[in-house]
Amino acid sequence: GAVVSQHPSWVICKSGTSVKIECRSLDFQATTMFWYRQFPKKSLMLMATSNEGSKATYEQGVEKDKFLINHASLTLSTLTVTSAHPEDSSFYICSANGRTVDTQYFGPGTRLTVL
Amino acid sequence: GENVEQHPSTLSVQEGDSAVIKCTYSDSASNYFPWYKQELGKRPQLIIDIRSNVGEKKDQRIAVTLNKTAKHFSLHITETQPEDSAVYFCAASGARALTFGSGTRLQVQP
C-alpha cells in the first residue's frame, strides 16, 4: 500500500517551453501532496505543499507563477514548470501522506533537463 | 521554521561494523522524525521513523533514538552490508511538511 507514481520519469525540453509533471497516489487518497526539488548530491528542498481543492502553499523563494501546482483530485497533483530555463534542470520528487497523517511516501521522481 | 542538521556528510565503514548518523533539529514542536534511504537516481525510501512520545525504536539491524530535551536523534545500523551503501536523510516535521537534513553518504566496504 501507499504507492505514489510520477510521470514522466524524465524529460528533456528546450529553454522557454513548459513541462507538466504528474503525481498520483495509486492506492490511497491524499488530501495533501508535497513537491520537492533535489539538485545533484544535495538534499530535498520543499517547494510547495499541495492541498486538494485549494491553492498550493509555496516555500519562500519559490516563484508560484513559474511553478504552477494543481491538485484537482484526491489522487492527482500536477506541477508545471513554465518557461523553463537551464537552471530549472533538477530532480523533481512528489510525496503524499499515507494512512498516518505524517508519514510521507515518495514518487520515483522526474529528472528534468532544460537545454 | 524548522532547521535540521545532519552529520557526518560521508561515512565509510567496513562490512559488519556499525554506522551511526546524527541529526539535530531546532523546532521543539516537531514530533515526527523519519529516516530515508536514497540510492542514486531513485526515490527516498522510508526505513524507520520515530515519534516524540518514544525514545527508541528498533527494526532488525536498524534503530533510531530520540532525545527530545537535547533535540537530537540518531540512526544506528548494525552489521552493515554492502547493500546498505546509499545516502541517508533524516527529517523532522511538526505539521505535515518535512524538513530534511543534508544527507549522509554511507559507503560499506566489503
Side-chain angles (χ1 to χ4, degrees), chain B residues 7-8 15 19 26 29 40-41 44-45 52 55 64 66 71 73 81-82 85 91 93 95 97-98 103 105 109:
Chain B
H7 299 280
E15 182 177 359
S26 61
L40 189 62
Q45 296 274 11
S52 59
V64 58
L66 171 65
K71 286 190 274 190
F73 55 114
Q81 301 166 2
S85 297
S93 81
L98 288 173
R105 184 171 300 278
Q109 308 284 357

Side-chain angles (χ1 to χ4, degrees), chain A residues 102-104, chain B residues 2 4 29-34 91-99:
Chain A
D102 45 21
T103 304
Q104 287 190 28
Chain B
E2 176 64 276
V4 178
S30 289
N31 56 13
Y32 176 63
F33 308 92
S93 81
R96 294 182 171 266
L98 288 173
T99 300

Side-chain angles (χ1 to χ4, degrees), chain B residues 77-109:
Chain B
I77 305 174
T78 59
E79 301 172 31
T80 53
Q81 301 166 2
E83 50 265 38
D84 294 330
S85 297
V87 178
Y88 292 80
F89 292 98
C90 64
S93 81
R96 294 182 171 266
L98 288 173
T99 300
F100 282 85
S102 53
T104 296
R105 184 171 300 278
L106 173 64
Q107 187 160 7
V108 181
Q109 308 284 357

Side-chain angles (χ1 to χ4, degrees), chain A residues 3-5 31-32 34 36 38 41-46 49 51 59 91 93 97 100-109 111, chain B residues 6 31-34 36 38-46 49 51 87 89-90 93 95-103 105:
Chain A
V3 178
V4 177
S5 72
T31 56
T32 303
F34 305 89
Y36 295 85
Q38 186 177 33
K41 297 186 178 181
K42 297 294 183 182
S43 187
L44 290 86
M45 299 301 296
L46 179 67
T49 302
N51 298 294
E59 295 300 298
F91 194 49
I93 311 178
N97 288 111
T100 56
V101 69
D102 45 21
T103 304
Q104 287 190 28
Y105 295 91
F106 284 85
R111 185 162 302 283
Chain B
Q6 184 172 345
N31 56 13
Y32 176 63
F33 308 92
Y36 288 87
Q38 187 179 31
E39 297 177 0
L40 189 62
K42 298 192 175 180
R43 78 182 84 193
Q45 296 274 11
L46 178 68
D49 57 11
R51 290 178 171 80
V87 178
F89 292 98
C90 64
S93 81
R96 294 182 171 266
L98 288 173
T99 300
F100 282 85
S102 53
R105 184 171 300 278

